[in-house]
Amino acid sequence: MVRAAVLPAVGAPLEITDIELPEPGPGQVSVSLAAAGVCHSDLSLSNGTMRLPVPAVLGHEGAGTVLAVGEGVTHVAAGDPVVLNWAPSCGACFHCGIGEVWLCADALKGAANIHARTADGTELHPGLNVAAFAQETVVAANCVLPAPAGIPLDDAALLGCAVLTGYGAVHHSARVREGESVVVFGIGGVGLAVLQAARIAGASKIIAVDVSPEKEELARRAGATDYVVASDTTPRAVRKLTGGQGADVAVECVGRSATIRGAWESTRRGGRATVVGIGGKDQQVTFNALEIFHWGRSLTGCVYGNSDPARDLPVLAEHIRAGRFDLSMMVTERISLDGIPAAFDNMIAGKGGRALVVF
């Protein structure tokens, strides 16, 4: 029996309770968690914005140590430090076949599996595949990647979602070039990763936008050269900071129609807006045909940073070891499992960066 955060039903409060995990079967790995990040996607699962089977153990951004492996697992062994990969690619579907592994058709297939049981026998699903809000988890072998050497394991948890997403949004989706200007909407965990990635890419001006004035210092530590408190006039403020033109690139990390529209309007003619935030179906964004022609902007979605974890983790590790990317500065709160509901409340209120559950 291990302690875990269970979502009993969509919209219900999380329950911190004991669950019973099976031993790893063929092609599976048992992991003792060192830490797990509290991501907005977990909140989206709990409130029904994202639909996956429940009841479930939430948590998808984590790192830990392998306890045991099942038959056929050879790329990791007991005692190995690993990063959890919540969206493993199958290698066989159309998108995997053309190299777009972040769009794998079967990436979330494992969420329908039975992962564990509560003390009364209730069957639990593994949230976004890996069920990281628990002292231990059992996952498919392709859901673990060797953790990069020389990086503290609790900090490495952030590599599993926020960092891959933010770094990838800049380098793979928006393809920020040296000297370009970048505006980032939403300075949570992913937004902080975007700011650092934009700095690494050589952006000349990096504008952070958030509803909270208190996040300015944090944003500037991550690489922001300017800070704008979000309002109806944000696009005008961004144009003023960019010589009247607008930013070359906007990255939206909130998932709301107003911020998506604001990101679009904050880019220059011919600029590029990338949407990372996950919004609900009720968040409708509208454009008229003339403005699409006139402004010549592009608007793109971005899944998991358009990243291939096996390719990108070694690159990120080099940036981290060289001091160009700081994982620890993204963490504004270290909590226990019992602190997750309060961390959800802080996200809703727009407070802080990343909360990290430390086991």
Side-chain angles (χ1 to χ4, degrees), residues 4-323:
V6 173
L7 177 69
V10 172
L14 283 184
E15 297 178 356
I16 312 302
T17 187
D18 290 330
I19 65 169
E20 183 177 358
L21 282 172
E23 294 297 318
Q28 291 185 320
V29 178
S30 173
V31 178
S32 173
L33 271 296
V38 182
C39 178
H40 204 280
S41 295
D42 298 307
L43 179 60
S44 295
L45 283 175
S46 71
N47 64 25
T49 299
M50 295 175 64
R51 292 281 184 174
L52 287 174
V54 291
V57 179
L58 298 186
H60 64 282
E61 180 184 85
T65 303
V66 174
L67 293 173
V69 301
E71 181 182 349
V73 178
T74 58
H75 73 295
V76 293
D80 287 352
V82 292
V83 173
L84 299 181
N85 176 17
W86 64 270
S89 55
C90 70
C93 71
F94 168 79
H95 288 287
C96 287
I98 62 173
E100 296 176 346
V101 297
W102 53 92
L103 297 179
C104 174
D106 293 324
L108 293 179
K109 188 176 181 180
N113 295 339
I114 302 304
H115 171 72
R117 288 175 171 79
T118 62
D120 65 5
T122 301
E123 294 179 335
L124 302 172
H125 298 280
L128 286 169
N129 280 330
V130 296
F133 287 167
Q135 294 167 318
E136 298 176 14
T137 188
V138 176
V139 300
N142 60 356
C143 286
V144 296
L145 295 165
I151 299 173
L153 204 49
D154 54 349
D155 288 345
L158 304 182
L159 294 170
C161 184
V163 175
L164 277 171
T165 299
Y167 180 87
V170 169
H171 291 270
H172 304 320
S173 180
R175 299 181 184 275
V176 175
R177 298 182 288 267
E178 186 173 359
E180 289 191 313
S181 55
V182 178
V183 57
V184 183
F185 284 73
I187 311 304
V190 173
L192 290 168
V194 171
L195 291 172
Q196 295 198 69
R199 176 171 42 77
I200 290 170
S204 59
K205 182 173 284 290
I206 305 171
I207 305 165
V209 178
D210 198 274
V211 296
S212 172
E214 288 75 26
K215 289 187 180 181
E216 180 171 359
E217 182 182 351
L218 188 64
R220 290 186 181 276
R221 284 176 56 200
T225 59
D226 300 271
Y227 193 84
V228 174
V229 178
S231 72
D232 292 341
T233 62
T234 294
R236 188 184 309 165
V238 173
R239 286 193 293 273
K240 185 176 181 180
L241 289 167
T242 53
Q245 296 298 313
D248 295 299
V249 172
V251 182
E252 196 274 356
C253 305
V254 182
R256 294 178 183 165
S257 58
T259 49
I260 294 171
R261 180 74 208 192
W264 163 271
E265 293 181 1
S266 294
T267 59
R268 63 169 174 81
R269 197 174 188 191
R272 314 185 299 280
T274 290
V275 178
V276 177
I278 301 173
K281 293 180 180 179
D282 61 325
Q283 297 292 314
Q284 299 292 316
V285 188
T286 60
F287 307 90
N288 67 61
L290 181 60
E291 71 174 312
I292 292 174
F293 161 77
H294 173 76
W295 288 102
R297 297 163 171 151
S298 62
L299 178 69
T300 60
C302 179
V303 178
Y304 204 5
N306 294 8
S307 294
D308 178 348
R311 174 199 65 196
D312 293 330
L313 276 184
V315 176
L316 277 164
E318 284 303 311
H319 287 307
I320 294 164
R321 286 192 288 261

Side-chain angles (χ1 to χ4, degrees), residues 332-344:
T332 53
E333 189 178 19
R334 294 176 186 263
I335 60 175
S336 67
L337 280 172
D338 298 288
I340 296 174
F344 279 1

